[in-house]
Amino acid sequence: MKSSYSNIFSFNKKILKKTVKFLMQGNIASLPTETVYGLAGNAYSKKAVKKIYNLKKRPKKNPLIIHYYNINKLDKDVELNDNFFKLYKKFCPGPITFILKKTKSSKISALATANLKTVAIRFPSQKIIRAVLKRINFPLAMPSANKSSALSPVSAFDVFEEFKKKVSIIINGGYSRIGIESTVLDLTGKPKILRPGIITNNEIKKYLKVSLSKRKSKIKSPGMLKKHYSPGLPIIRNIKLKYNTKDAFIVFGKKFKNRSNFFNLSKKADLNEAAANLYRTMRKIKNMGYKKIYVSKIPNVGSGIAINDRLKRASK
Ligand code: TXA
Ligand code: MG
């Protein structure tokens, strides 16, 4: 077993040192975060950023999130504003990404931001990614570590499944605690949520006025329009329970009986637990060889908004 996963490493001082050096040389490593696993490279290096796009087969017009340890020297790269400071104090480090204006002197590679005048920035809280960020003097461009449009990875083994040995260092940080990607919030004008997450609009509303971007409005995130987060099988949502189906059935809550083809995201009807189980469950269903996934109704409140957003995109 061990040899086939020879690029998956447990976290210790030695691998930390090796990873830091590897990133400084312009290479790409896969690192755990509290949301999902990422593919990390020096955001100031065009060469490194190009490797990320190539590995993911990601369209060049879909920009990457740039990850920082904290706000030291951040104003060199992006224009900070009051709304940003309010939310930074409250939620960072944590699962939230801010869109801000790029400064003229910004060192972030234009490729990483798809030539836009804005940058997506995030301060992850997971201890391994933070240990790495603390030891390098550049931020990390880091999209989720999956092929473009596929399911995001929530374990080192999921990353291995996506890229095999094409990524030489994958650090094992166990299952991602949150399990879905960060909330993306545009702060360049009137605050707007571009991608819902575990930090909900209701929580953000305590600090500033914010709206949820409507799909039909002009979307600022090119990558958010297309089919995404897909396990590669048809997903049919909001289905009333079919006890006779042979297909996989994703359910939520107490009332469901156990069946071998039923996958309960949270028996105790906890939406955060359901979010943490979402990608894991879809990946498992795909690997078990099912051809179709039905999903029962999931409450569209709190973290349920983000879950339904991902399921909706996966079902496109
Ligand atoms: O939780 C996360 O955010 C994970 C972990 C690894 O940090 N990262 C992640 O990255 O989800 P990615 O590349 O899979 O998703 C980034 C999203 C894309 O939908 C992209 O279009 C959007 O952020 N984005 C990036 N830069 C943007 C910008 N300047 N304006 C609007 N949207 C942007
Ligand atoms: Mg992604």
Side-chain angles (χ1 to χ4, degrees), residues 67 76 100 128 189 198 284 292 310:
H67 297 68
K76 295 221 162 100
L100 292 166
I128 297 173
I198 236 77
K284 182 168 155 194
K292 202 190 270 182
R310 303 307 190 275

Side-chain angles (χ1 to χ4, degrees), residues 108-123:
I108 299 166
S109 152
L111 184 61
T113 54
N115 284 315
L116 296 173
K117 291 196 166 81
T118 57
V119 193
I121 60 164
R122 172 160 124 75
F123 311 86

